[in-house]
Amino acid sequence: IIISHDREFLDAITTVTLHLEDAGLTRYGGNYTTFEEMRAERLEQQQELVQRQEREQRLRRRSQELP
């Protein structure tokens, strides 16, 4: 286990990153740059899912309000 804030160092030596967030552990393969890219993509996908679910809920509410 290595804990560091030096991104260049982490990029040079890591092959797997374990990310602890919200009491969950996610494994990312690759160096630190790959981790950052994959995490950003994952967060974007989660945000898109939330937005899609919110749109669907609004549409359901509107359809229920129609006579």
Side-chain angles (χ1 to χ4, degrees):
I1 295 177
I2 297 172
I3 299 172
S4 176
H5 294 281
D6 185 337
R7 292 177 184 207
E8 289 180 19
F9 171 72
L10 291 172
D11 223 16
I13 66 163
T14 58
T15 57
V16 172
T17 299
L18 299 175
H19 186 244
L20 179 62
E21 181 177 44
D22 297 330
L25 188 65
T26 306
R27 181 187 187 278
Y28 295 91
N31 64 12
Y32 189 77
T33 298
T34 302
F35 154 72
E36 287 184 317
E37 292 167 352
M38 291 173 68
R39 182 168 180 260
E41 184 178 320
R42 184 170 169 252
L43 291 173
E44 185 177 321
Q45 290 171 349
Q46 288 175 337
Q47 187 175 27
E48 289 172 358
L49 176 62
V50 167
Q51 290 172 349
R52 186 171 38 245
Q53 290 172 338
E54 288 173 348
R55 279 194 303 270
E56 289 172 0
Q57 287 176 352
R58 283 193 302 271
L59 288 172
R60 277 195 292 267
R61 279 190 230 125
R62 286 182 190 157
S63 67
Q64 291 172 351
E65 292 172 357
L66 295 175

